[in-house]
Each structure stands twice: as C-alpha cells, then as structure tokens.
Amino acid sequence: MVSKTPRRARGEKFRFSIFWPLAAVVVPLAGVVMKIEVIDGHKMPRTGAYVLAPNHYSEIDPLAVAVAVWRLGREPRFLAKESLFRVPVLGWALSVTGMVPVARNSSSSSARNTLDATEMLVQHGRGVVVYPEGTLTRDPDLWPMRGKTGAARLALDGDIPVIPMAQWGAQQILPRYGKLRLWPLRRRIRVVIGDPVDLREYREGVVTPAKLNAATDAIMSDVAQLLAGLRGEPAPAERWNPTAHGQQETGRLES
C-alpha cells in the first residue's frame, strides 16, 4: 500500500533550516521528471538518530531518495567524503546542510572520524543516508552487490538503528553510466521503507571486523529483499562481488 504520509510527517516539529529553501526548488523540479511513490513510509523514524541504507543503481537515484526522505518529514543528509569538505563553496554547502564527513581509509583518523559522526548524529537526533554498497552496483541486473561496512560501523558505534530502503525506477530516467532520458515526464519511482535491521547480536562487546562484515551482510540482505518485492522477482542467492569479476569498487560514496 502506498503511504499517504504528507510532506511534513505528523508528530515531528521542524525548525526553519537551509533545507526549506532548497526543498522549495528541488522538490518541484524533481516532480517534473519523477513520480515518487513511498511504500510503508510509517516505518521511517519520526525523531532521533538513524542510518538509512538504500540500494544504488543510478546516478540520479540519490535525488529520489532525498525527496522521499523529505516527504517523510526528515532532512536528507548523506555521508560524504571528508576531502569534499575542503573544496571551496562545495565544502561550505555540505557543512551548512549538515552532511556527514567520512574518511575513506582504515586509519585511526578514519575511526575517529566515524566516532565523531556518530556522536553528532546522536547528539542532534539526526539521520544520515549511507549507501552500503559504497558506489553504483556492478551487478549486471542492478541488484545490490556486496556491501561495505560504513553503515554498519556508524550503527554499531552509536547504537543507532539501520533502516533499510529499496527504490526502483530511476534507471528509466538515467541508466547506470548512461544518458539522461527526460521524456516521458514523471516516470514512476517506487520507494519502500523496511523495518530496522536486527543487529542485536553484533552490538554486544567489542566491534570487530567480523562483526562489521556480518552486520553488513544482514543490512544488504534486508535491502535486497525489499528490492525483490518492488521488482516482483527473487533476489540472487549470492551478491555480486566486483573483485571476483575484475571490477574496481571505487566511488564517491564509498566508505
């Protein structure tokens, strides 16, 4: 059933922020090319910190995710490379909109960066969108591929719920690595929100690499099952592993 949740979700009060003028421009423009339908929008937390984990198969699907999150009453903040915050103008824009910086290496500074990010999310009760695949899926059929541990690390370090999301239809507007297709207008994109991923068994004790990998698998499994429901077909038994197929895994959103 398609959620009828209004643009500002009931039960949460918002202060004026930079997102309001941005949304006044972006949401109507997105509505010209996208008809976004949100399913089970009531499962999005109305208050408090959370990590939203969607699939990623088109360069334009972050726009659909952002609009859906805004319509559900939350401010769409994304994980962004730390280096982008040092770029003139862009860095300012990322900072004033509260985007979350993350280092892309496994150094101690990266760990400190992740801890700072989780503390900020919890302190301010904010959500963040983290693509667990790190970049556009390499799966030939656009199914979610093997995930990276960024979303799991944020969730476990801060005891923050992970909300799985699947969305489908953006490839009709902008195919992966393809050309933009603006006609016909208002192509249908369906977005479904899932129940929080059950990560209880990974939260106790020290967060080890094994726990992070297992938690990431649990997240990716839930995202894949949500997508299977949208597509009306079963997800692959095994997720695509780019390394095993000689493909690079680098990308802007990688963590």
Side-chain angles (χ1 to χ4, degrees):
M1 181 178 67
V2 177
S3 170
K4 300 299 183 182
T5 307
R7 204 175 288 176
R8 313 309 305 152
R10 298 181 181 91
E12 184 174 11
K13 294 181 180 179
F14 278 83
R15 296 174 301 176
F16 180 82
S17 72
I18 189 65
F19 282 97
W20 285 85
L22 287 175
V25 175
V26 173
V27 174
L29 288 177
V32 173
V33 296
M34 301 175 175
K35 182 181 180 182
I36 300 174
E37 297 179 1
V38 180
I39 303 168
D40 289 340
H42 64 279
K43 294 181 179 180
M44 174 73 79
R46 295 294 180 258
T47 59
Y50 67 92
V51 174
L52 185 67
N55 58 316
H56 192 26
Y57 57 93
S58 167
E59 290 93 335
I60 205 172
D61 69 53
L63 178 59
V65 170
V67 171
V69 170
W70 178 255
R71 284 175 52 187
L72 292 171
R74 302 304 301 262
E75 295 178 338
R77 294 181 171 87
F78 289 79
L79 208 63
K81 289 193 303 182
E82 186 182 30
S83 59
L84 295 178
F85 286 77
R86 296 192 291 271
V87 177
V89 182
L90 175 59
W92 172 84
L94 293 173
S95 296
V96 298
T97 52
M99 300 302 166
V100 180
V102 64
R104 291 177 57 184
N105 54 49
S106 57
S107 65
S108 58
S109 62
S110 174
R112 179 69 249 179
N113 186 281
T114 300
L115 184 59
D116 290 344
T118 58
E119 290 176 349
M120 181 273 293
L121 293 175
V122 173
Q123 179 181 357
H124 296 285
R126 293 176 175 174
V128 63
V129 180
V130 182
Y131 284 100
E133 296 164 271
T135 186
L136 289 171
T137 181
R138 302 295 196 267
D139 185 282
D141 296 319
L142 303 183
W143 289 100
M145 65 177 180
R146 184 181 67 173
K148 295 186 176 296
T149 60
R153 186 182 298 276
L154 280 172
L156 296 181
D157 283 353
D159 196 21
I160 300 171
V162 176
I163 310 301
M165 168 193 274
Q167 33 91 26
W168 188 243
Q171 77 282 2
Q172 301 176 83
I173 302 170
L174 183 58
R176 181 183 57 183
Y177 308 127
K179 295 182 179 180
L180 188 64
R181 302 170 181 171
L182 294 179
W183 191 263
L185 298 177
R186 287 184 59 77
R187 289 182 184 267
R188 183 188 188 199
I189 298 178
R190 290 183 297 156
V191 177
V192 60
I193 310 296
D195 294 313
V197 182
D198 186 358
L199 299 178
R200 286 174 294 183
E201 64 180 292
Y202 312 115
R203 295 189 186 277
E204 297 182 1
V206 178
V207 177
T208 63
K211 282 186 178 181
L212 287 173
N213 289 330
T216 299
D217 286 342
I219 294 169
M220 295 309 305
S221 178
D222 283 10
V223 173
Q225 290 307 309
L226 289 175
L227 182 59
L230 290 180
R231 295 178 57 163
E233 55 184 311
E238 294 186 11
R239 278 180 286 280
W240 186 264
N241 183 346
T243 303
H245 293 84
Q247 298 172 321
Q248 293 183 348
E249 297 184 83
T250 56
R252 296 181 300 177
L253 302 170
E254 191 168 349
S255 58

